[in-house]
Amino acid sequence: MGTEVEVSEPLIEKITAEEDQLIPEWKDQITIRGLAVSAIMGTLFCIITHRLNLTVGIIPSLNIAAGLLGFLSVKSWTSFLSKLGFSTKPFTRQENTVIQTCVVACYGLAASGGFGSSFLAMDKRTYKLIGTEYPGNRAEDVKNPGLGWMIVFMFVVSFVGLFSLVALRKVMILDGKLTYPSGTATAVLINGFHTNAGAELAGMQVRCIGKYLSISFLCSSFKWFFSGVGDSCGFDNFPSFGLILFKNTFYFDFSPTYVGCGLICPRIVNCSVLLGAIVSWGFLWPYISQHAGDWYPADLGNSDFKGLYGYKVFIAISLILGDGLYNLIKIISVTFKELCNKRTKVSKLPIDNEIQDTESSRLLIDQKKRENVFLKDGIPTWFAASGYVGLAAISTATIPTIFPPLKWYLVLLLYLIAPALAFCNSYGAGLTDCSLSLTYAKIGLFIIASLVGTNGGVIAGLAACGVMMSIVSTAADLMQDFKTGYLTLSSAKSMFVSQLLGTAMGCVFAPLTFWMYWTAFDIGSPDGPYKAPYAVILREMAILGIEGFSELPKHCLALCCGFFVAALVINLLRDVIPEKISKFIPVPMAMAIPFFVGAYLAIDMFVGTVILFIWERINRKDSEDYAGAVASGLICGDGIWTMPSAVLSIFSINPPICMYFGPTVSS
């Protein structure tokens, strides 16, 4: 795949013979108490996720928080029962991993189910916000949220994504060695809690995680006091490099999460993200902005697809698709070649033919054990394929009854292109920890809206958006959890089953917790705390899609084609040029992330990689032992803070201070 893991493997302690023998069977990794804890935590995380979705529209990864709270919950319960004299079943890292997987699957549907985006874009309030006189905004294209149809929709679409990429788990995790930073950090945390060997180093790693978790949590809570009300206050808007660069999103926003990602992501990925920020926010967007009034109307809003925002979204999508489709075709061709040449395949399997030194041999043996556990209880390809086809058929028959404008053959079209987009999203998440499910969903929205046209195109496009977002998001979440399972010696089958169980919980809990917000608060009001920022954006995009590509800004389509071809060429160069040179060629998928997210993400991640670079020069051994622990603590502390901050918001407790930076006003 062209990207090597720099830190994740060395962070996991060596496997002892005792631990190897104590690995439970996959059925024993799923317990009643684990499912009970998962249901409680899943409900809590759904509430938090809806809160974030309806306010800022950005959901941080809560994988680590799920792993930590799962450990604390079960450990506290077993300790309590032990004090009462009851015997309890040992709490293993595999059970901890299953709980984390189940919780992530549950709250993931609150994030990707369309509750803060496509569903709200259909409702009457959003229709009125855009304006009854807005061209293409019809009163007929309105469907208000309903608890019954939302639960049915969740059940018919949410399981399909789990079957779309499960057959590629070996390719993504073992062959591609994708990092999946949150999945790796979660594994480090869980292994640290459950280690029985290497006690001294493991104990120090756990203390390191706790130290930086506390620092990150306190840092996030300190930032909250100055974040005020609105989007322009606090350290998240600190003009680190001056106000001019700040306007182009070049600033350090003191995000422990993305600094931690920078510590754990491969260096070439971090540098690629920074290069993408420089290309887009440093040159491309300022250049296009100079042509406002010529290439597009100058008086458009920041989220209008007929203006600069359209360039940002569609050019980024083109770059991502070029990279993802190239790697998908590459994987298919390599797999086909191996199937046709068994001798080549057999010759690559043995790992102990060469004479290795003691330490290298030990690492290879440990890696082989992990691979054996990961592949032991596999999910057959025929099962994955038949599951995808069967569930897609049920969904194809059911969805048109909920959204009549979205005909069955259009739903079928979505399921034909969804696996390719799910692969692209999972591949990108493995590199940068960013799941761009909404970005890929916009592709489905635009295509379907343009195919249906004026009569029902808005509802059909928004419904397609929800279908696509669910598929690509759940596929990426599953692969992230597979990474955690691989590093914690958990069975792939137990991971898959727990993902199914968590998804079933989410199909009920996510709509119910959203309904709580919908009935209790004024959702979508531009003057209230729950503005649901993506609702208006997606409805406007659906209206734009009705007119097709002709409504895109001037030269937008040509630029999209250019960046798509550039992504293909860059990947081709990475494969044909010698490795000593190709390792410096950027990753297009990573470059695309800041195109519409902003350059601040690249600054944060680059700070992380600079810290690691300096640390390696000062003490390489310590950096290898503790870099992942530091990264895990930073990501975890910031993620845990989202829970108390969400609770504060639910009770309408706002930050007391708005710290704002602006130019000096001369008297």
Side-chain angles (χ1 to χ4, degrees):
M1 302 279 278
T3 304
E4 295 298 325
V5 178
E6 293 186 352
V7 295
S8 61
E9 301 296 344
L11 290 171
I12 311 302
E13 77 279 355
K14 295 174 182 177
I15 304 168
T16 64
E18 179 186 2
E19 287 176 316
D20 193 17
Q21 294 173 358
L22 292 177
I23 298 175
E25 292 295 320
W26 75 268
K27 292 181 180 179
D28 297 327
Q29 296 174 18
I30 304 172
T31 62
I32 298 297
R33 69 184 179 191
L35 294 178
V37 169
S38 299
I40 296 170
M41 289 177 54
T43 303
L44 174 63
F45 277 43
C46 280
I47 294 172
I48 293 169
T49 301
H50 285 314
R51 167 70 183 81
L52 296 171
N53 223 351
L54 296 171
T55 51
V56 297
I58 299 174
I59 312 297
S61 174
L62 299 175
N63 295 46
I64 296 177
L68 174 63
L69 292 179
F71 173 80
L72 293 175
S73 300
V74 178
K75 206 66 177 176
S76 300
W77 175 248
T78 54
S79 298
F80 175 72
L81 290 179
S82 297
K83 289 180 180 179
L84 295 178
F86 295 98
S87 61
T88 57
K89 185 179 179 181
F91 183 41
T92 64
R93 70 183 70 193
Q94 288 79 16
E95 185 181 356
N96 202 161
T97 305
V98 164
I99 292 172
Q100 181 270 154
T101 300
C102 205
V103 172
V104 170
C106 182
Y107 91 80
L109 295 190
S112 65
F115 297 102
S117 53
S118 58
F119 289 171
L120 290 181
M122 300 178 187
D123 78 348
K124 192 172 184 178
R125 180 178 286 122
T126 304
Y127 158 74
K128 290 182 177 179
L129 278 176
I130 292 178
T132 56
E133 303 300 322
Y134 191 92
N137 189 31
R138 305 188 316 153
E140 294 86 348
D141 294 324
V142 169
K143 186 176 180 66
N144 288 316
L147 188 59
W149 72 256
M150 288 191 299
I151 292 177
V152 173
F153 181 82
M154 288 290 101
F155 270 105
V156 297
V157 304
S158 300
F159 293 92
V160 185
L162 301 180
F163 290 85
S164 61
L165 292 184
V166 68
L168 294 179
R169 68 192 184 284
K170 178 178 179 296
V171 173
M172 306 282 272
I173 305 299
L174 302 184
D175 301 337
K177 298 185 185 299
L178 294 176
T179 310
Y180 290 102
S182 286
T184 297
T186 305
V188 173
L189 188 75
I190 292 174
N191 280 330
F193 288 144
H194 296 274
T195 185
N196 295 317
E200 184 177 355
L201 176 59
M204 294 177 70
Q205 286 177 333
V206 171
R207 285 192 290 273
C208 185
I209 292 173
K211 174 183 176 182
Y212 284 93
L213 183 151
S214 302
I215 292 173
S216 176
F217 183 87
L218 291 174
C219 176
S220 298
S221 59
F222 178 78
K223 286 167 56 181
W224 176 84
F225 280 95
F226 301 92
S227 58
V229 178
D231 300 327
S232 59
C233 303
F235 286 96
D236 289 340
N237 298 278
F238 187 86
S240 318
F241 310 111
L243 291 172
I244 295 177
L245 287 177
F246 176 78
K247 290 180 180 178
N248 286 327
T249 72
F250 280 95
Y251 58 92
F252 179 61
D253 73 343
F254 298 90
S255 170
T257 293
Y258 290 122
V259 173
C261 287
L263 279 168
I264 210 169
C265 282
R267 191 164 292 139
I268 185 61
V269 171
N270 295 324
C271 293
S272 298
V273 174
L274 181 62
L275 178 61
I278 294 171
V279 170
S280 56
W281 293 93
F283 296 100
L284 188 59
W285 305 151
Y287 174 77
I288 294 176
S289 298
Q290 292 175 1
H291 293 80
D294 179 16
W295 289 12
Y296 60 92
D299 57 346
L300 297 178
N302 293 331
S303 59
D304 197 313
F305 284 91
K306 296 182 180 180
L308 182 61
Y309 190 75
Y311 291 98
K312 293 177 182 179
V313 171
F314 287 104
I315 291 176
I317 288 174
S318 300
L319 198 56
I320 290 168
L321 283 180
D323 190 348
L325 291 178
Y326 178 91
N327 283 282
L328 178 61
I329 294 170
K330 176 182 173 182
I331 284 175
I332 293 173
S333 61
V334 169
T335 303
F336 182 75
K337 186 184 296 184
E338 289 187 355
L339 289 174
C340 293
N341 190 347
K342 292 184 179 180
R343 283 181 294 181
T344 302
K345 184 178 179 182
V346 172
S347 67
K348 289 183 179 180
L349 285 176
I351 63 170
D352 52 359
N353 292 341
E354 302 176 7
I355 299 175
Q356 306 281 345
D357 59 70
T358 305
E359 183 64 21
S360 298
S361 297
R362 178 71 190 187
L363 290 174
L364 284 174
I365 292 171
D366 286 351
Q367 180 181 341
K368 189 63 178 177
K369 285 180 179 177
R370 284 195 174 84
E371 292 178 0
N372 288 338
V373 171
F374 186 68
L375 298 174
K376 176 186 174 185
D377 299 313
I379 298 96
T381 302
W382 66 265
F383 177 77
S386 59
Y388 185 84
V389 172
L391 290 169
I394 295 172
S395 182
T396 301
T398 306
I399 290 177
T401 64
I402 303 174
F403 305 105
L406 187 60
K407 304 301 182 184
W408 69 267
Y409 50 85
L410 296 175
V411 180
L412 181 61
L413 175 63
L414 289 174
Y415 285 121
L416 291 176
I417 64 176
L421 299 181
F423 170 82
C424 293
N425 189 44
S426 299
Y427 176 63
L431 289 174
T432 64
D433 210 36
C434 291
S435 176
L436 303 177
S437 56
L438 185 57
T439 301
Y440 292 102
K442 290 172 184 174
I443 299 174
L445 185 157
F446 199 79
I447 292 174
I448 299 301
S450 61
L451 289 176
V452 175
T454 305
N455 189 19
V458 171
I459 290 294
L462 292 171
C465 176
V467 173
M468 189 65 72
M469 184 160 53
S470 175
I471 295 172
V472 298
S473 179
T474 52
D477 288 344
L478 177 62
M479 213 56 65
Q480 187 96 252
D481 290 330
F482 272 145
K483 181 70 174 185
T484 304
Y486 164 68
L487 295 175
T488 57
L489 297 171
S490 302
S491 167
K493 187 174 288 186
S494 70
M495 293 289 94
F496 186 68
V497 172
S498 61
Q499 192 87 12
L500 290 173
L501 294 172
T503 301
M505 293 178 188
C507 289
V508 177
F509 297 156
L512 284 174
T513 49
F514 170 77
W515 198 249
M516 177 187 71
Y517 280 96
W518 178 257
T519 54
F521 302 105
D522 192 16
I523 304 299
S525 172
D527 300 321
Y530 302 102
K531 296 179 176 66
Y534 283 117
V536 172
I537 292 174
L538 290 182
R539 189 172 183 92
E540 286 185 349
M541 187 176 184
I543 294 170
L544 173 65
I546 292 173
E547 303 298 329
F549 290 106
S550 62
E551 290 298 308
L552 288 176
K554 193 175 181 180
H555 303 305
C556 182
L557 189 58
L559 286 169
C560 290
C561 294
F563 277 91
F564 181 85
V565 173
L568 298 177
V569 172
I570 291 172
N571 275 293
L572 185 62
L573 289 175
R574 287 175 63 86
D575 285 338
V576 300
I577 291 177
E579 185 179 356
K580 62 181 181 181
I581 300 175
S582 66
K583 66 182 181 181
F584 296 107
I585 296 178
V587 182
M589 182 80 71
M591 288 179 62
I593 303 297
F595 269 56
F596 59 92
V597 173
Y600 61 89
L601 166 72
I603 302 296
D604 294 345
M605 294 182 69
F606 192 70
V607 167
T609 205
V610 169
I611 292 172
L612 182 61
F613 179 80
I614 296 173
W615 193 357
E616 288 175 343
R617 295 300 176 271
I618 296 174
N619 191 327
R620 189 171 192 87
K621 180 68 168 62
D622 274 2
S623 70
E624 291 177 352
D625 289 341
Y626 300 110
V630 172
S632 300
L634 291 175
I635 297 171
C636 189
D638 197 22
I640 291 175
W641 169 249
T642 59
M643 289 182 284
S645 65
V647 172
L648 291 171
S649 295
I650 289 172
F651 288 99
S652 300
I653 301 175
N654 295 318
I657 301 171
C658 173
M659 184 174 67
Y660 172 76
F661 299 91
T664 301
V665 179
S666 58
S667 56

